Amino acid sequence: MPKILIVGGGYAGFYTAWKLEKHLRAGEAEVTVVDPLPYMTYQPFLPEVAAGSIEPRHAVVSQRRHLKKTNVITAKVTNIDHASKTATITPPVGEAYEFSYDIIVVTGGAVSRTFPIPGVADSAIGLKTIEEAVAIRDRMLTNFDKAASLPAGPERERLLTVVVVGGGFAGIEVFAELRSFASSLLTYYPQLSFEETHFHLIEAMGRIMPEVSLPTSHWVLKHLAQRGAEVHLDTQLKSAVDGHIELSTGESFDSDLIVWTAGVMANPTIVRNSDLPVEERGRIRTRPDLRVGTDEEFVADAWAAGDVSAVPDLSGGGVGGFCVPNAQHAVRQGKLLAKNIVAVIRGEEPRQYFHKNLGAVAGLGIGSGVFQSGKIAIKGVVAWFAHRGYHGLAMPSFERKFRVFWGWWNNFWLGRDIVSLSATQHPRAAFEEFASRPKPAADAAPAPAAVKAPAEKPAKETVGA
């Protein structure tokens, strides 16, 4: 029975394993998924998690709960030697070991791509994981609590200033969601005013959201400006040391929350430690049928999909001729990848991946969104419902869909939960503060010094007469 190793349990990896369970006959193959995390994160929901509109656990999908026939290993793949068909698996506890396979599927995803800008590595936070989204939410709430106890002034405004770097879909969505969140929070903080909250989005290009038309992007800019959010176009971040923001335009201000969404790159842990072919941008070279290789030749028993791969976009709409790294492609590639693997196992030919983007939809905070399909653009509350409907239905498994929609329904009547749980980042702090500890052993009393007896004087000689 062939052993299939799936490296990465994100969109593409999860869907590949999920659909392999459906298409494989009993005993036809053994499937193993290796990922450092035991869940798949539905990343389009991260902006809403950061804004408190979705419960964090509802935006992730448990691998062990939904991959019932798959062997799930929570660990990292730190090396792939396809020549010998072995992978090095490094668990969080214990020694690394070699894993032999017959077919490998590389779906390691992408990580945040940053630049050597002073202060970014120390002060900023990304938006690729559920943990980052939760930290953003808790930081926002904690900063409102702190600011409410301070007098009006620079320190208060620093706590209420949010900076987002990157004007793509992820950047605009989290920027607009956080602006909406901050406006709603002011109801609970009468000490604070709207004018004290400042939101800055920094984009190096001359426009935002390249996935939508220019008129639509202009509408988004105008809409954000009306809500008190400032977008800096044709502007670069020069420094963020200690939260002091310096822009290429000469402007500067202080912020305690900097969110980085300016690009991604293929997971370097996987790409740099394998003998599979890599193209110039650091992604695994992949054919339209999702086999690793080029049009002329392919690497036998090696497949790739998702953000870690360079899959040609046969629709002609991709940047540089390749599929852009987004959830739409990763999910669809994962589904096709499962079918293609089964086809090859059964001696059939794999199909090529083709997907023509039908449109783009983005949420801009409660009751506001934008939808673009060709020349058709829908804005406002209708687009917001379209955004929630599309992503709610795209969430894998009925169980996850129900939790997300049920959470939205509760928020409609009860409002967003505004409790910060930032203390979870240091869960033992309260326990340690009051925990009793053994008293240090008393220093042993020094032994009394021995009294030295005086030396006897020698007897004097008697001189005889």
Side-chain angles (χ1 to χ4, degrees), residues 70 89 92 139 243 380 400:
T70 302
I89 296 179
R139 176 72 66 84
R400 292 286 104 177

Side-chain angles (χ1 to χ4, degrees), residues 6 10 50 70 126 147 171 174-175 209 220 230 248 275 349 371 413 423 433:
I6 301 176
T70 302
V174 73
F175 185 63
M209 304 173 73
V220 174
E230 186 174 357
S248 58
D275 56 355
E349 287 296 316
F371 170 79
W413 298 104
E433 183 179 357

Side-chain angles (χ1 to χ4, degrees), residues 232-238 246-253:
H232 305 262
L233 297 178
D234 292 315
T235 305
Q236 295 179 348
L237 176 64
K238 305 297 289 185
E246 295 181 9
L247 305 181
S248 58
T249 57
E251 298 174 78
S252 64
F253 45 86

Side-chain angles (χ1 to χ4, degrees), residues 111-315:
V111 299
S112 296
R113 181 190 64 182
T114 59
F115 306 102
I117 301 172
V120 166
D122 302 314
S123 303
I125 184 168
L127 192 66
K128 288 291 293 178
T129 68
I130 194 70
E131 293 82 4
E132 290 173 327
V134 172
I136 292 169
R137 174 184 179 274
D138 286 344
R139 176 72 66 84
M140 170 87 82
L141 289 167
T142 300
N143 283 357
F144 265 72
D145 288 333
K146 291 178 180 178
S149 64
L150 293 173
E155 178 60 17
R156 189 149 111 174
E157 296 202 18
R158 183 185 72 86
L159 293 169
L160 299 177
T161 297
V162 176
V163 176
V164 175
V165 184
F169 251 66
I172 289 295
E173 285 194 297
V174 73
F175 185 63
E177 289 284 356
L178 291 178
R179 173 69 272 184
S180 172
F181 190 30
S183 297
S184 68
L185 286 176
L186 291 172
T187 303
Y188 307 99
Y189 295 88
Q191 308 93 331
L192 307 178
S193 66
F194 181 87
E195 291 71 22
E196 290 178 297
T197 62
H198 305 285
F199 281 75
H200 299 270
L201 184 135
I202 303 166
E203 170 54 46
M205 297 177 62
R207 61 162 298 177
I208 60 170
M209 304 173 73
E211 298 88 347
V212 303
S213 67
L214 195 59
T216 301
S217 70
H218 287 165
W219 179 87
V220 174
L221 288 173
K222 182 179 179 181
H223 178 69
L224 291 172
Q226 292 172 343
R227 291 163 55 184
E230 186 174 357
V231 177
H232 305 262
L233 297 178
D234 292 315
T235 305
Q236 295 179 348
L237 176 64
K238 305 297 289 185
S239 177
V241 176
D242 296 328
H244 182 67
I245 305 298
E246 295 181 9
L247 305 181
S248 58
T249 57
E251 298 174 78
S252 64
F253 45 86
D254 293 323
S255 171
D256 194 56
L257 178 54
I258 306 168
V259 183
W260 181 274
T261 65
V264 297
M265 64 179 180
N267 191 328
T269 303
I270 296 171
V271 173
R272 297 172 186 172
N273 296 289
S274 82
D275 56 355
L276 298 174
V278 177
E279 48 93 65
E280 56 273 8
R281 294 192 62 185
R283 300 170 296 181
I284 293 177
R285 194 177 295 279
T286 311
R287 292 156 48 99
D289 60 9
L290 305 180
R291 287 187 284 195
V292 174
T294 63
D295 291 335
E296 293 74 26
E297 59 180 351
F298 62 88
V299 179
D301 300 323
W303 304 77
D307 296 355
V308 78
S309 64
V311 179
D313 190 341
L314 301 183
S315 72

